[in-house]
């Protein structure tokens, strides 16, 4: 038989809060992916900055839908996956600043 170790509800709430970056009470797909990155990636702010700069295609200091489409979808995103992903973590403005990206990926 397998038993799960006893975990307090406070410990679970604390862990949930660490993953729920925008503190909306839900763990989004992007927040889940961020939380599952290897710790050496999440702790390396320099590497996170390089990734941000690569995704920020127009070099305006923000990651927007156009940047994501260019970086990951070959310029095509007919189903709006990139826009939905940004709205999920950014809210209605749909842009990701360096500070928000750092918080999301690095947790700092």
């Amino acid at each position: 038989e397998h038993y799960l170790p006893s975990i307090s509800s406070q410990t679970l709430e604390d862990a949930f809060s660490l993953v729920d970056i925008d503190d909306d009470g839900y763990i989004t797909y992007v927040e889940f992916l961020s939380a599952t990155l290897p710790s050496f990636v999440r702790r390396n702010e320099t590497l996170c900055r390089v990734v941000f700069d690569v995704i920020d295609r127009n070099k305006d200091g923000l990651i927007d839908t156009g940047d994501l489409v260019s970086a990951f979808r070959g310029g095509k995103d007919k189903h709006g996956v990139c826009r939905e992903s940004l709205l999920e973590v950014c809210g209605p403005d749909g842009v990701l600043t360096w500070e928000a990206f750092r918080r999301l990926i690095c947790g700092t």
Side-chain angles (χ1 to χ4, degrees):
E1 292 183 38
H2 298 282
Y3 295 95
L4 293 175
S6 177
I7 300 173
S8 74
S9 61
Q10 184 61 50
T11 301
L12 288 174
E13 287 178 27
D14 291 346
F16 185 90
S17 293
L18 289 172
V19 176
D20 181 22
I21 300 295
D22 60 3
D23 200 29
D24 67 353
Y26 299 94
I27 296 175
T28 64
Y29 180 66
V30 174
E31 289 168 331
F32 172 78
L33 289 177
S34 175
T36 59
L37 285 172
S39 61
F40 77 89
V41 173
R42 288 184 283 117
R43 286 189 302 235
N44 188 332
E45 190 170 318
T46 302
L47 178 58
C48 288
R49 184 63 202 214
V50 168
V51 171
F52 180 89
D53 290 340
V54 167
I55 298 171
D56 178 17
R57 297 298 181 129
N58 62 5
K59 306 302 179 205
D60 65 354
L62 301 168
I63 294 175
D64 59 21
T65 300
D67 292 323
L68 285 184
V69 170
S70 293
F72 297 111
R73 305 288 296 185
K76 298 175 184 157
D77 188 22
K78 68 180 181 177
H79 299 293
V81 172
C82 293
R83 181 178 180 280
E84 288 299 317
S85 296
L86 278 175
L87 291 174
E88 186 178 278
V89 295
C90 303
D93 61 346
V95 296
L96 196 58
T97 64
W98 160 243
E99 292 78 19
F101 182 85
R102 187 181 70 226
R103 241 185 347 268
L104 181 64
I105 302 301
C106 299
T108 58

